[in-house]
DNA sequence: CAAGGGGTAGACCGATCGATCTACCTACCT
DNA sequence: AGGTAGGTAGATCGATCGGTCTACCCCTTG
């Protein structure tokens, strides 16, 4: 007998190619053009599915929006966890990598800024977009603060929030301003804010 | 004889109470709920005007959006010009005031973040919202750089852009995160970034 | 007085919105 | 062999979207 309900041990939730196509298309359109600007019609047309299929997987547009942001959130979690994991004995290196990974990998694909900030601008109150934005921002801040604590930093919480500010500002600036020194300015600012509160010369 | 065309010397362009009501209502709704989320119907209902009146003053919704952001832009210009003007012999004081004025006056009324960033998230390409956002951000950055130059700062341009990052991040954070130390963290970061590049101790 | 600009009132346009419906097909698992 | 989940196709729903239209009113100004 053994396990009964699932035959596939690695993917308990079903995947469905159509579902993936819907999500990938929604991700692209929502991010590039905004959530409210993209209608269901656009999504089903470009994903090559029918209306019924979409509503079977995502009962409402808000559910699709939530899934879109969940996807983005999972990606960010994985990336940051990976960086921290691969610098397990080097918190200072992990902090630097958090900055350079952004400039190296993400500035290109984040031409339209932060998907959470952008989506939050389109909704009010406790809409799922705003809740998820607050969640991931709080989580990232806490990861940074943890690294600072591991370094015996003088002010882990305050500095983590300052680092989040410059990180946020850098992503927004990258999507709005014409600044070809953005990466350098950002990394320099990031490093300076960290080192200002580290214990006296480590060597 | 004197002036002929206008009996009111101070307002050459006609004001029209209805126009003001439309703009004030649009400002409130667009900022609080997002541009795409608010329809013309909502605006004319809450402004107490008719469809025809609105379209007489603003031929299209985009024109109304442009006027909304123009209003915001004029306010920011006036505020920053006023701060710089009132500290004409004290650029360092003007820089500090730029930060504290934000925390003192604006954080309360900017609960929904920056109207230019928010509006930009809803549109693509060279929509008027994105153009105006870039314009005012570039202008503010230049004002900050000017103050830094007046102080013989080591890196006026780069520092001005770093200050814009933390300022942007602070406004966004204020609209998304639950952080009761935001103002202090922001001001401390702001001051530190300025002083790091100033010429050796002035006293 | 006559003209014209700003205003009201409300019907109306085609298009699109998010969402629901019926009906049928197909592949895989028990 | 039969059941079920996932898929296609296309019509349809009421609501709302941005925008236009006609008709009438009131006040100021020349």
């Amino acid at each position: 007998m053994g396990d009964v309900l699932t035959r596939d041990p690695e993917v308990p939730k079903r995947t469905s190619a159509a579902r993936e196509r819907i999500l990938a298309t929604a991700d692209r359109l929502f991010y590039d053009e905004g959530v409210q600007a993209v209608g269901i019609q656009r999504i089903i047309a470009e994903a090559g599915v029918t209306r019924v299929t979409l509503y079977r997987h995502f009962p409402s547009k808000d559910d699709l929006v939530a899934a879109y942001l969940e996807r983005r959130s999972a990606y960010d979690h994985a990336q940051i966890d990976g960086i921290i994991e691969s610098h397990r004995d080097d918190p200072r290196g992990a902090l630097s990598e958090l900055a350079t990974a952004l400039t190296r990998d993400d500035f290109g694909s984040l031409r339209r800024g932060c998907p959470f900030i952008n989506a939050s601008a389109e909704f009010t109150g406790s809409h799922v977009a705003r809740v998820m934005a607050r969640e991931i921002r709080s989580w990232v801040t806490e990861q940074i603060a943890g690294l600072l604590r591991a370094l015996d930093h003088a002010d882990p919480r305050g500095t983590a929030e300052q680092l989040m500010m410059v990180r946020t500002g850098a992503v927004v600036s990258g999507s709005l301003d014409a600044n070809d020194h953005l990466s350098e300015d950002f990394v320099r600012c990031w490093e300076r804010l960290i080192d200002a509160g580290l214990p006296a010369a480590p060597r």
Side-chain angles (χ1 to χ4, degrees), chain A residues 90-185:
Chain A
D90 180 19
R92 187 61 186 81
L95 283 169
S96 286
E97 179 64 13
L98 282 179
T100 53
L102 185 67
T103 69
R104 180 182 356 102
D105 303 334
D106 294 336
F107 270 176
S109 57
L110 289 182
R111 284 264 162 72
R112 286 266 314 170
C114 169
F116 297 95
I117 295 173
N118 290 354
S120 292
E122 302 201 54
F123 299 99
T124 61
S126 52
H127 187 279
V128 57
R130 298 187 72 86
V131 172
M132 294 190 59
R134 179 184 306 207
E135 276 177 7
I136 194 172
R137 290 177 58 82
S138 151
W139 180 82
V140 174
T141 306
E142 193 43 48
Q143 302 308 301
I144 296 174
L147 293 172
L148 291 172
R149 272 189 287 269
L151 291 169
D152 290 319
H153 194 279
D155 179 20
R157 187 204 56 80
T159 303
E161 267 146 17
Q162 291 176 354
L163 291 175
M164 271 301 281
M165 285 188 219
V166 302
R167 186 188 156 100
T168 299
V171 172
V172 170
S173 178
S175 74
L176 285 179
D177 308 330
N179 176 4
D180 45 349
H181 303 82
L182 178 60
S183 291
E184 292 86 337
D185 288 335

Side-chain angles (χ1 to χ4, degrees), chain A residues 16 18-19 22 44 49-58:
Chain A
S16 160
R19 185 179 214 273
I22 295 170
I44 65 176
V49 299
T50 63
R51 252 184 151 71
V52 176
T53 302
L54 184 144
Y55 277 101
R56 177 131 54 212
H57 289 288
F58 309 97

Side-chain angles (χ1 to χ4, degrees), chain A residues 42-75:
Chain A
R42 270 289 295 290
I43 297 175
I44 65 176
E46 301 201 17
V49 299
T50 63
R51 252 184 151 71
V52 176
T53 302
L54 184 144
Y55 277 101
R56 177 131 54 212
H57 289 288
F58 309 97
S60 75
K61 191 184 181 183
D62 267 4
D63 289 297
L64 183 54
V65 173
Y68 151 58
L69 293 176
E70 203 72 65
R71 227 172 93 110
R72 292 276 179 168
S73 174
Y75 175 85

Side-chain angles (χ1 to χ4, degrees), chain A residues 27-54:
Chain A
D27 185 281
R28 176 171 55 84
L29 294 179
F30 283 163
Y31 181 70
D32 285 346
E33 309 186 19
V35 175
Q36 307 254 38
V38 174
I40 298 291
Q41 175 61 34
R42 270 289 295 290
I43 297 175
I44 65 176
E46 301 201 17
V49 299
T50 63
R51 252 184 151 71
V52 176
T53 302
L54 184 144

